[in-house]
């Protein structure tokens, strides 16, 4: 198995894209999401700057790890297609099961799991696609 390295420009572009996807996605689904996380109607959710910083840092970690996994496919295998497929498999095998377990123990309904699951699917596929497209 070979590892071609990580393209940090691709990582930064992937993080910015993921952040933008999340902003649009949750902007469109704000009312459904607030109901799913049991925030009473008419209440403003906390949108402190620290939450955005934490999100951005965690998405950097996610993108770097995704780039590492995609890079392990070997020389010449870091492609748009393989990035998208890898993003999907990482979502299906790691992100979605972890999130589902947490939501069940926290007594949230399946609606939150579906809302957040779709968001993370799109993020993983977009990140993987960008990382694969840029290559190493």
């Amino acid at each position: 198995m070979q590892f071609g390295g990580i393209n940090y420009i691709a990582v930064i572009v992937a993080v910015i894209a993921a952040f933008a996807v999340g902003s649009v996605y949750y902007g469109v689904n704000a009312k459904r999401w607030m109901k799913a996380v049991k925030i009473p109607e008419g209440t403003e959710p906390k949108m402190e700057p620290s939450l955005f910083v934490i999100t951005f840092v965690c998405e950097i970690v996610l993108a770097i790890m995704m780039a590492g996994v995609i890079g392990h496919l070997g020389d010449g295998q870091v492609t748009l297609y393989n990035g998208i497929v890898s993003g999907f498999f990482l979502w299906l095998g790691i992100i979605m099961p972890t999130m589902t377990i947490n939501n069940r123990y926290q007594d949230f309904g399946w609606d939150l799991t579906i809302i957040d699951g779709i968001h993370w699917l799109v993020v993983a596929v977009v990140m993987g696609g960008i990382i694969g497209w840029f290559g190493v």
Side-chain angles (χ1 to χ4, degrees):
M1 184 179 294
Q2 298 176 5
F3 180 61
I6 293 175
N7 183 330
Y8 289 101
I9 298 208
V11 166
I12 295 301
V13 171
V15 170
I16 292 167
F19 203 81
V21 163
S23 296
V24 171
Y25 181 80
Y26 284 110
V28 169
N29 291 294
K31 287 185 180 186
R32 277 179 260 168
W33 179 82
M34 288 176 59
K35 182 178 177 186
V37 294
K38 303 174 184 176
I39 295 174
E41 195 170 330
T43 304
E44 285 293 316
K46 291 192 311 185
M47 300 305 260
E48 299 170 4
S50 63
L51 294 174
F52 295 104
V53 170
I54 290 167
T55 299
F56 199 76
V57 168
C58 288
E59 287 184 347
I60 289 171
V61 172
L62 180 60
I64 290 171
M65 295 302 107
M66 189 171 293
V69 168
I70 295 167
H72 273 83
L73 294 174
D75 288 339
Q77 296 301 310
V78 182
T79 65
L80 174 64
Y81 176 77
N82 285 342
I84 290 170
V85 170
S86 296
F88 174 76
F89 283 145
L90 289 168
W91 171 81
L92 183 65
I94 296 171
I95 296 170
M96 195 62 187
T98 303
M99 189 187 60
T100 301
I101 292 166
N102 285 345
N103 285 354
R104 299 292 65 79
Y105 276 98
Q106 294 167 356
D107 198 30
F108 286 111
W110 284 101
D111 50 347
L112 180 62
T113 304
I114 292 166
I115 292 167
D116 288 345
I118 292 169
H119 163 255
W120 288 115
L121 169 62
V122 174
V123 164
V125 167
V126 165
M127 277 188 173
I130 289 170
I131 290 165
W133 182 48
F134 273 70
V136 291

